[in-house]
Amino acid sequence: MSFTGVMRPGHAAIRVLDMDESVTYYTERMGLMKTDEDDQGRVYLKAWDELDCFSIVLREADSPGIDYTGYKTFSRADMDELVGKLEDYGIDIEWIAEGELNNCGERARFQTPSGHSFELYSEKKQIGDGLGRTNPNPWPEGLKGMQVYRFDHVLLYGPNIIETTKIFTDVLGFDLTERVLTPEGEMNVTFVSCSNKAHDLAFVEYPEPNKLHHVSFMLMTWEEVLRAADLMSMHDISIDIGPTRHGITRGRTIYFFDPSGNRNEVFCGDYTWYPDREPITWTAEELGRAIFYHDRRLNENFLTVVT
Amino acid sequence: MVAEKFTIAIEDSDEAFTCSSDRNVLKAMEQLGRKGIPVGCRGGGCGVCRVQVVGDGRYRTGKMSREQVPVDDERQGICLACKLFPEADLRLKVLGRWQKHFITGMNPEAA
Ligand code: FES
Ligand SMILES: [Fe+2]
């Protein structure tokens, strides 16, 4: 088996202004399933095609945004090895006890120079997709709303993204898959992958630290993206842009907002990444096409609307 | 009960539109195809639609991001237009941060 180390984005902890409204949105509209709630009032959700018992944790707070993003390693030994490498690199680790999030093992939390919190963990209870691992059906009946398959990635805004990206590529074994270069040749947008997806995480250089641009969920087809957009109009969900295509990752996408103003994305159809590929470079003049392939220009909202 | 209609005027512009008491000001503006207040998330989270109610017009607000509207600001009539519901005619001053991020190569006007 050649797939070890960091496997995937395993959870995102999102702050919301109103829990009831948000749970309705993430379950009825997005199509996640509520799997748990803890004594702090945090709500745990998973997408149908995920086997682990949660991938999104909602916390009611007075400002929206993201608390942290967690990445699951293949094994505890892999996690310990990567934590050792982070410490050697000069990064402080805060250990979060097993069970602090229900049904999740010990987590190693660290901060990036962009101001964001990340975690590594290796254990989370698997509850399955309801289809089983023997002679399964292709999909479960009774799914709701947009019927997203999985939590896929986050795009984060903050300062020092070159240094931040280096932690993922030089220490944690991610590959740089795409980047945007300024006229001076500096990276100000980076996409990185820990798998053979086109991205598992992305950063945009921004003056304010610890900002969330979007939390993304995967669909399989363009028709499903269109259907998701229809549901947004049916339920008066705030649409940002799309359905359209990204130049970066080739993804077919729509951006929209949860009831607290956190941006979400559903997308399909990026390419398969292999580590023998050279990263794709976008130049500053073509940035419009890189972000929104059809509009071919940047909009203010992409650059300034964050939580 | 029929929702009352009020006039929303934007300071330093000729822009004015009507908004009923059960509709947020940003939505009323957008639905009438009017401009004046920047539109972002429409959910009280991003702060792009920050406005200040000038004068003594009465209004209600929904839940807004504290980071975008600290308590002191709220006392001075600052709020987010997407969470602002009029209970009288209102005059608004637009504060929305169309702040430019002149990160080289990231300026939409140049792109
Ligand atoms: S548009 Fe984002 S707070 Fe109103
Ligand atoms: Fe995305």
Side-chain angles (χ1 to χ4, degrees):
Chain A
M1 201 214 42
S2 60
F3 197 173
T4 57
V6 179
M7 284 194 300
R8 62 167 172 268
H11 55 243
I14 303 168
R15 295 189 301 275
V16 296
L17 294 174
D18 181 295
M19 185 58 84
D20 290 343
E21 195 185 8
S22 302
V23 170
T24 300
Y25 166 87
Y26 280 102
T27 56
E28 306 286 317
R29 309 297 169 238
M30 192 72 85
L32 301 178
M33 295 155 200
K34 178 174 167 180
T35 56
D36 206 354
E37 187 168 350
D38 65 22
D39 47 19
Q40 299 176 37
R42 293 178 300 187
V43 170
Y44 299 67
L45 302 152
K46 80 183 269 294
W48 74 263
D49 204 14
E50 294 167 329
L51 304 186
D52 287 356
C53 61
F54 67 87
S55 58
I56 298 294
V57 182
L58 301 179
R59 177 170 78 85
E60 192 172 273
D62 66 6
S63 300
I66 190 162
D67 282 335
Y68 49 84
T69 311
Y71 282 78
K72 192 178 191 186
T73 62
F74 172 67
S75 66
R76 177 68 202 218
D78 286 357
M79 173 177 167
D80 289 338
E81 189 187 327
L82 291 169
V83 167
K85 286 185 177 166
L86 285 169
E87 284 175 325
D88 291 346
Y89 197 75
I91 292 169
D92 292 333
I93 302 291
E94 180 193 355
W95 288 98
I96 312 289
E98 176 180 356
E100 194 278 331
L101 282 172
N102 286 355
N103 296 306
C104 186
E106 195 173 26
R107 291 129 65 204
R109 187 178 290 175
F110 61 97
Q111 312 281 328
T112 54
S114 59
H116 298 94
S117 293
F118 287 93
E119 300 179 342
L120 296 179
Y121 69 96
S122 62
E123 303 292 334
K124 194 183 280 178
K125 186 178 165 196
Q126 285 202 349
I127 58 173
D129 53 9
L131 302 168
R133 308 304 292 168
T134 306
N135 308 327
N137 288 317
W139 45 267
E141 290 182 280
L143 297 174
K144 290 185 173 159
M146 302 175 209
Q147 309 183 358
V148 295
Y149 292 72
R150 65 161 184 248
F151 160 51
D152 191 86
H153 63 270
V154 293
L155 170 56
L156 303 174
Y157 272 40
N160 310 311
I161 66 139
I162 293 177
E163 276 174 75
T164 298
T165 303
K166 264 174 116 47
I167 295 170
F168 288 89
T169 55
D170 296 7
V171 186
L172 296 176
F174 285 55
D175 293 321
L176 179 70
T177 60
E178 305 209 20
R179 63 188 165 182
V180 176
L181 295 184
T182 64
E184 291 72 41
E186 294 261 283
M187 297 194 295
N188 61 0
V189 179
T190 58
F191 280 62
V192 293
S193 174
C194 61
S195 63
N196 69 353
K197 292 153 57 186
H199 60 326
D200 287 297
L201 174 64
F203 293 103
V204 170
E205 182 77 26
Y206 190 73
E208 273 178 89
N210 196 20
K211 288 292 170 187
L212 170 66
H213 188 271
H214 67 265
V215 177
S216 183
F217 298 89
M218 194 193 68
L219 292 174
M220 284 289 182
T221 68
W222 177 234
E223 198 64 29
E224 289 176 346
V225 174
L226 185 71
R227 185 178 164 279
D230 291 343
L231 284 161
M232 291 171 210
S233 284
M234 284 180 207
H235 296 284
D236 204 21
I237 292 168
S238 170
I239 293 179
D240 185 18
I241 190 164
T244 184
R245 185 191 285 278
H246 289 309
I248 299 179
T249 75
R250 298 181 198 157
R252 286 159 280 175
T253 179
I254 180 165
Y255 283 151
F256 51 105
F257 295 97
D258 83 358
S260 311
N262 294 306
R263 192 187 276 93
N264 288 158
E265 172 183 46
V266 292
F267 81 104
C268 70
D270 55 357
Y271 55 80
T272 305
W273 169 258
Y274 291 102
D276 62 348
R277 290 181 168 211
E278 195 183 313
I280 290 171
T281 299
W282 297 87
T283 56
E285 317 81 72
E286 292 295 330
L287 188 54
R289 232 162 47 100
I291 309 288
F292 300 119
Y293 190 68
H294 302 146
D295 275 11
R296 280 168 273 159
R297 57 194 161 88
L298 281 176
N299 66 33
E300 285 276 9
N301 280 7
F302 182 85
L303 296 179
T304 60
V305 176
V306 290
T307 53
Chain B
M1 201 186 87
V2 183
E4 275 186 274
K5 280 190 166 41
F6 300 108
T7 301
I8 312 297
I10 309 288
E11 258 201 354
D12 301 324
S13 82
D14 299 331
E15 202 59 76
F17 51 88
T18 53
C19 179
S20 57
S21 55
D22 60 356
R23 181 149 301 192
N24 74 66
V25 166
L26 197 70
K27 186 174 215 169
M29 180 193 83
E30 281 197 278
Q31 288 184 331
L32 293 166
R34 308 306 278 273
K35 297 217 160 53
I37 308 169
V39 179
C41 67
R42 306 181 183 91
C46 72
V48 157
C49 69
R50 260 164 68 95
V51 292
Q52 183 165 21
V53 179
V54 260
D56 49 8
R58 279 175 300 112
Y59 58 93
R60 286 179 297 121
T61 53
K63 201 163 177 192
M64 303 180 284
S65 168
R66 217 8 119 204
E67 188 184 322
Q68 301 301 335
V69 186
V71 178
D72 282 353
D73 284 10
E74 196 171 354
R75 285 201 194 103
Q76 295 172 46
I78 292 173
C79 56
L80 302 172
C82 63
K83 294 285 180 171
L84 170 62
F85 301 86
E87 290 185 343
D89 291 347
L90 299 179
R91 283 191 69 76
L92 304 180
K93 184 173 166 179
V94 175
L95 310 173
R97 49 164 187 153
W98 262 169
Q99 77 190 49
K100 299 288 183 214
H101 294 291
F102 288 105
I103 304 162
T104 328
M106 289 293 280
N107 172 17
E109 258 115 73

